[in-house]
Amino acid sequence: MIQEKKPHHILEPAEDPLPVPVARDDGTREPEESREKVQADYDEEELEAQRPDLYHVRSHVSTHDAPVIHQNEHHELGDEIYDRLSPHRKIAVVCVLSCCSFLAPISSTSILAAAPEVVATFNTTGAIFNVSNALYMVFMGLSPLFWGPIGQTFGRKWPLAIAAVTFTAFSAGSAAAPNLPAYFVFRMLTAFQGTTFLSVGATVIGDIYRPIERGTAYGWFLSGTLIGPALGPFIGGIIVTFASWRDIFWLQTALAAASSVAVILLIPETIHHAKKVDLVGLPRRQQARKLCEWLNPWRVIVLFRYPNLLIAGVASSSLVWNMYSLLTPIRYVLNPRFGLSSPLQSGLFYIAPGAGYLCGTFFGGRWADHVVKKWIKKRGHRVPEDRLRSCIVALGIVLPACMIIYGWSIEKEVGGIPLPVIVMFIQGVAQLFCFPSLNTYCLDVMQKQSAEVVAGNYVIRYFFAAAGSAACLPVIERIGVGWFSTISAGFLIAAAVATWFVAEYGGAWREAIDKGKQDGE
């Protein structure tokens, strides 16, 4: 048989085409169309190989047809989406968000210094006043159930802008409240709107920063969240010493109005893919059905079937419980212990944890990012759970030790004023070594649902904050500040142990849940 001779200008396709480098997808980050681009580039290569007199030329558009060389060894394929904003614009966004995140938490504690004055104005009791603060925390916890899905569906900017404007209005309502029911209502509405800065604002950090950079950015964002509760009573103490407690809320109104302007003018839309885009072209009935599905608060709760997310939420809750159970009773605990008489004097004690939070801002987030990079070098790729390793020592050793020393030094009247001040400062620093790790983990672990994951984390933590605010005074009166601090320390140690298990086994847990979902489908 005579073999047919092929024209010499037809190129035989290669038997083994070069492998196309594909970004590792561990389910933790949004693909940003990387797979579709890779497949398109691969098909283009096959066509190029079979065309006559054509030779493969490296594309100047896509980087998926050649080995990927990053300027930074820790960058991942598809990270280009995080370069949409300039570094200076990112810093401006973080500054605005940090200022906004200062508002809701400071509102939760600034009024504590004026507790007796509010009680006298409305002719009520301290117990009823503490209920108002507990309800404030409850509504801070309920808010993310609604704003999280809204931010995932419609984007980040306008939920933030709407929340800022309404927070301003409700703050003015709190300042002008004519009676106790009105005061309760406006406080709860203020809390509901204010948590949007925390939950939706956190997802903005995830939208604009690479995973290896988020810890540092998140540390600065959290500075407002944590410094607010610490400095709130100090500022409130100054105001109530020289003016009315209502002026605390008028100051809050002015700050909120300035933040509203900053959000509207300086915060761009950062979401990578808003779900509302998928509604284009659908019939109205189907659009309504989709919106009902996407905006259902149950989408946030159901994520707790992932044990790693539930444990991260409980660990964050242990920190918030610790913070609010420490800050709430200072005037009732330290004033009698040291013979202080004015709100301003007890307010000075809040400077210590506030200074600790500010100091920790410079180091905590950077430490979290450093640990992530170290484990990338060990493994050769990034695993979201590795970030949690950066907080275990502070969560399980430093913070419990500070709580025990603080509680028993007050209980046994040893150490004078310097000892509780020092341990409160150290505690503030240590918390900033924990919060960036836990919060950024929520952004890293399920990027496609980051708004809902962060929302779930805030839901559980602020319900614990409400419990801590409501329970601390009655429990301290019953068993003493020493034993109450010991219980809080035990909560922190248990959270640290559980966090270590997530760092070791969380990836396997996620894979098992996802596999079960696929099998069920």
Side-chain angles (χ1 to χ4, degrees):
M1 181 182 293
I2 298 175
Q3 186 176 2
E4 182 180 356
K5 187 175 180 180
K6 295 181 180 180
H8 70 277
H9 59 272
I10 300 293
L11 298 179
E12 289 286 339
E15 296 180 0
D16 297 315
L18 291 174
V20 180
V22 180
R24 179 180 179 273
D25 181 15
D26 56 4
T28 66
R29 65 193 302 276
E30 206 164 1
E32 291 106 26
E33 302 179 351
S34 295
R35 289 181 178 169
E36 289 81 1
K37 290 182 179 179
V38 168
Q39 184 62 46
D41 292 336
Y42 185 83
D43 295 341
E44 184 180 351
E45 285 181 26
E46 289 189 320
L47 291 173
E48 290 282 353
Q50 297 179 30
R51 287 177 186 154
D53 297 330
L54 295 178
Y55 298 93
H56 178 70
V57 178
R58 181 176 296 179
S59 169
H60 295 287
V61 176
S62 172
T63 61
H64 296 295
D65 56 356
V68 180
I69 301 175
H70 292 293
Q71 293 180 348
N72 189 318
E73 61 179 327
H74 300 114
H75 288 185
E76 301 176 31
L77 205 60
D79 274 2
E80 295 78 12
I81 197 168
Y82 301 112
D83 294 328
R84 294 182 299 170
L85 299 182
S86 69
H88 293 294
R89 185 72 183 279
K90 291 180 183 180
I91 292 173
V93 169
V94 173
C95 288
V96 172
L97 292 176
S98 183
C99 292
C100 291
S101 70
F102 178 81
L103 294 174
I106 196 176
S107 181
S108 68
T109 59
S110 59
I111 198 64
L112 295 179
E117 289 75 14
V118 177
V119 167
T121 298
F122 294 126
N123 193 26
T124 184
T125 65
I128 297 297
F129 174 80
N130 284 338
V131 169
S132 74
N133 287 330
L135 285 173
Y136 188 93
M137 298 294 177
V138 168
F139 274 77
M140 286 186 77
L142 291 174
S143 171
L145 291 174
F146 299 90
W147 285 110
I150 288 172
Q152 198 72 29
T153 302
F154 296 104
R156 323 294 196 203
K157 180 181 175 68
W158 290 111
L160 286 170
I162 292 169
V165 172
T166 51
F167 183 90
T168 303
F170 296 143
S171 296
S174 299
N179 50 48
L180 189 62
Y183 175 80
F184 267 60
V185 170
F186 281 117
R187 288 286 284 157
M188 289 184 288
L189 291 173
T190 302
F192 191 86
Q193 300 304 98
T195 318
T196 312
F197 304 136
L198 310 181
S199 57
V200 178
T203 58
V204 172
I205 302 295
D207 291 341
I208 64 178
Y209 282 99
R210 291 177 171 85
I212 60 167
E213 302 167 336
R214 288 175 187 160
T216 302
Y218 216 114
W220 286 103
F221 169 69
L222 285 173
S223 63
T225 306
L226 299 178
I227 292 173
L231 292 187
F234 173 64
I235 297 172
I238 295 175
I239 292 175
V240 79
T241 300
F242 300 103
S244 167
W245 63 266
R246 296 182 185 273
D247 292 321
I248 296 173
F249 292 117
W250 286 122
L251 174 61
Q252 176 181 304
T253 301
L255 294 174
S259 296
S260 300
V261 174
V263 167
I264 294 171
L265 298 181
L266 300 179
I267 300 294
E269 181 54 72
T270 62
I271 193 171
H272 298 173
H273 176 76
K275 290 182 178 179
K276 66 178 182 180
V277 176
D278 299 334
L279 297 176
V280 176
L282 295 179
R284 287 189 175 181
R285 181 171 295 181
Q286 195 170 352
Q287 288 182 355
R289 189 181 304 116
K290 285 285 186 182
L291 284 174
C292 290
E293 176 188 344
W294 292 341
L295 300 179
N296 187 350
W298 184 250
R299 291 178 61 86
V300 176
I301 301 298
V302 77
L303 290 174
F304 288 129
R305 67 186 173 202
Y306 289 88
N308 55 311
L309 297 182
L310 179 60
I311 291 174
V314 172
S316 299
S317 301
S318 71
L319 294 168
V320 176
W321 164 282
N322 175 64
M323 179 173 68
Y324 279 95
S325 61
L326 173 74
L327 298 177
T328 300
I330 279 183
R331 185 169 178 182
Y332 296 93
V333 171
L334 296 184
N335 277 25
R337 165 69 177 84
F338 298 113
L340 307 177
S341 57
S342 73
L344 179 58
Q345 289 175 324
S346 58
L348 292 172
F349 278 94
Y350 292 93
I351 295 178
Y357 296 140
L358 183 61
C359 183
T361 299
F362 293 96
F363 306 104
R366 286 185 171 88
W367 170 248
D369 286 341
H370 168 75
V371 171
V372 171
K373 294 174 183 177
K374 182 179 75 173
W375 280 88
I376 288 175
K377 289 182 179 180
K378 285 185 178 182
R379 297 182 186 274
H381 59 268
R382 181 177 61 86
V383 174
E385 282 74 18
D386 286 337
R387 183 180 294 278
L388 298 175
R389 302 178 190 275
S390 64
C391 72
I392 292 173
V393 173
L395 182 61
I397 298 176
V398 179
L399 285 169
C402 288
M403 279 303 294
I404 291 173
I405 294 171
Y406 169 82
W408 287 106
S409 69
I410 301 299
E411 179 84 14
K412 300 300 181 182
E413 298 187 0
V414 297
I417 290 179
L419 185 57
V421 168
I422 291 171
V423 295
M424 283 193 289
F425 172 81
I426 296 173
Q427 186 181 65
V429 174
Q431 288 210 10
L432 257 297
F433 276 80
C434 299
F435 272 121
S437 299
L438 292 165
N439 289 18
T440 310
Y441 173 70
C442 294
L443 297 176
D444 292 348
V445 70
M446 295 175 69
Q447 180 92 17
K448 294 179 183 178
Q449 296 177 269
S450 59
E452 292 157 357
V453 175
V454 171
N457 191 273
Y458 276 102
V459 167
I460 191 169
R461 74 168 63 177
Y462 277 110
F463 274 106
F464 272 92
S469 298
C472 59
L473 278 176
V475 175
I476 287 173
E477 290 174 357
R478 189 173 183 85
I479 66 175
V481 66
W483 282 114
F484 180 76
S485 299
T486 303
I487 292 171
S488 297
F491 188 11
L492 290 165
I493 293 171
V497 172
T499 301
W500 179 84
F501 275 99
V502 174
E504 290 292 324
Y505 307 110
W509 296 345
R510 283 189 289 110
E511 292 175 3
I513 296 291
D514 290 337
K515 184 178 179 181
K517 287 170 58 181
Q518 293 174 357
D519 292 343
E521 294 172 356

